[in-house]
Amino acid sequence: MSATARKKAPNAEDIRARKGGQPLVSLTAYTTPMAQVMDPHCDFVLVGDSVGMVLHGLTSTLGVTMEMMILHGQAVARGLNGAMMVIDMPFASYEEGPTQAFRNAARLMAETGAGAVKLEGGVEMAETIRFLTKRGIPVMAHIGLTPQSINTLGGYKVQGRDAQADAVLADAHAVSDAGAFSVVLEKVPRVLADQITAEVAIPTIGIGASAGCDGQILVVDDMLGFFTAFKPKFVKRYADLGAQADSAIAQYAAEVRDRSFPAAEHVFADTVPAKGNT
Ligand code: KIV
């Protein structure tokens, strides 16, 4: 079946079943039109808390709120037809414990229609992941570089080099054993990402990890060249839409100033000669 003919979005168990199969394709989305563009091409779409940096100009994801996630989740849901929607739990909405996590995860799913939540953390989040999955909330885990912890990680550094490798490996096993249906590996050395992919039973979704992962995800504004504040090594620019937007807007500004816009075809005649010409 062609991607555009798909009707039923995959659910968490469909994603889990893709372990070792054709690589899973995923991007972040925050708006309806962008969700519509990527829907035919993606297996799942993540409403990432990167929305705070990408669309709201925040300097980290720490200021993202439940209300922001719900608003963007609802917008993305309106643009999806065949891809699954996963939504990020924002900073401070789940770390207090399983009960807080359940309350906020249930709200995110109920108010947006997302099929799963994503949360950051490994061993320390295993109990929460188990609690959620036993109560009907599919969880995608996120380990390695966890941007909500930049203040304790000391910045956006690669995680799992040398002596750190065992800890990241333990995180991967912990979230898998706790019932997560998949795990994002962010900024993890390739060899370690490949080892995790070989050892855990759930699909690994790489971002700055390895082509050997069970799937890949990128922040859409990064790969389209819209978000240019910084460019991590792992981002491949598939387009340069920021530069295209800049030159289009510069041309518009010049045409407004020299009065060549609007032209005759963009304005209305002062009489209505034919029926229906309004
Ligand atoms: O918020 C986000 O965009 C993410 C991806 C980078 C995985 O968590």
Side-chain angles (χ1 to χ4, degrees):
M1 193 190 328
S2 79
T4 46
R6 272 187 326 196
K7 282 285 182 289
K8 181 187 167 293
N11 58 37
E13 289 312 305
D14 297 325
I15 299 290
R16 186 198 294 272
R18 294 277 296 273
K19 176 74 189 175
Q22 191 188 40
L24 290 154
V25 178
S26 175
L27 287 168
T28 64
Y30 321 106
T31 64
T32 305
M34 197 60 95
Q36 283 168 333
V37 170
M38 66 180 69
D39 181 61
H41 307 286
C42 288
D43 296 297
F44 72 90
V45 167
L46 172 70
V47 187
D49 63 351
S50 50
V51 67
M53 299 174 75
V54 170
L55 287 197
H56 292 270
L58 300 177
T59 52
S60 78
T61 56
L62 300 186
V64 175
T65 63
M66 284 286 291
E67 286 66 33
M68 287 164 75
M69 295 308 300
I70 289 168
L71 203 62
H72 287 285
Q74 290 170 339
V76 169
R78 288 180 208 116
L80 296 182
N81 178 39
M84 178 185 181
M85 184 168 112
V86 180
I87 190 162
D88 257 340
M89 299 199 71
F91 179 62
S93 71
Y94 59 97
E95 297 89 332
E96 279 172 33
T99 312
Q100 183 211 22
F102 181 83
R103 188 170 56 251
N104 285 319
R107 184 175 167 212
L108 285 172
M109 289 180 68
E111 295 189 27
T112 67
V117 299
K118 177 167 82 57
L119 56 79
E120 297 182 6
V123 170
E124 73 283 9
M125 280 300 145
E127 184 195 349
T128 295
I129 293 171
R130 186 167 287 108
F131 190 92
L132 296 183
T133 54
K134 291 266 185 234
R135 287 162 179 76
I137 298 193
V139 177
M140 176 177 286
H142 182 159
I143 64 170
L145 173 66
T146 46
Q148 293 174 9
S149 302
I150 42 153
N151 290 312
T152 45
L153 293 176
Y156 295 96
K157 298 176 182 160
V158 174
Q159 301 293 312
R161 281 201 171 119
D162 308 319
Q164 285 182 338
D166 284 348
V168 177
L169 190 59
D171 283 338
H173 281 286
V175 298
S176 175
D177 294 349
F181 70 92
S182 59
V183 57
V184 170
L185 306 180
E186 179 164 354
K187 254 187 154 176
V188 168
R190 183 175 51 81
V191 172
L192 177 59
D194 288 343
Q195 183 181 355
I196 292 171
T197 301
E199 288 188 17
V200 300
I202 55 175
T204 55
I205 312 297
I207 173 163
S210 167
C213 288
D214 297 298
Q216 302 293 328
I217 187 165
L218 282 176
V219 170
V220 70
D221 292 63
D222 285 343
M223 59 90 78
L224 292 180
F226 256 134
F227 182 75
T228 53
F230 53 86
K231 183 191 152 321
K233 173 184 162 79
F234 58 77
V235 171
K236 177 173 176 182
R237 287 249 163 89
Y238 286 84
D240 202 1
L241 299 192
Q244 275 186 263
D246 179 64
S247 74
I249 292 166
Q251 184 182 344
Y252 165 74
E255 291 182 6
V256 169
R257 290 187 181 115
D258 71 12
R259 298 191 189 280
S260 59
F261 177 85
E265 66 267 31
H266 305 121
V267 297
F268 300 94
D270 59 1
T271 55
V272 181
K275 193 175 158 213
N277 179 10
T278 55

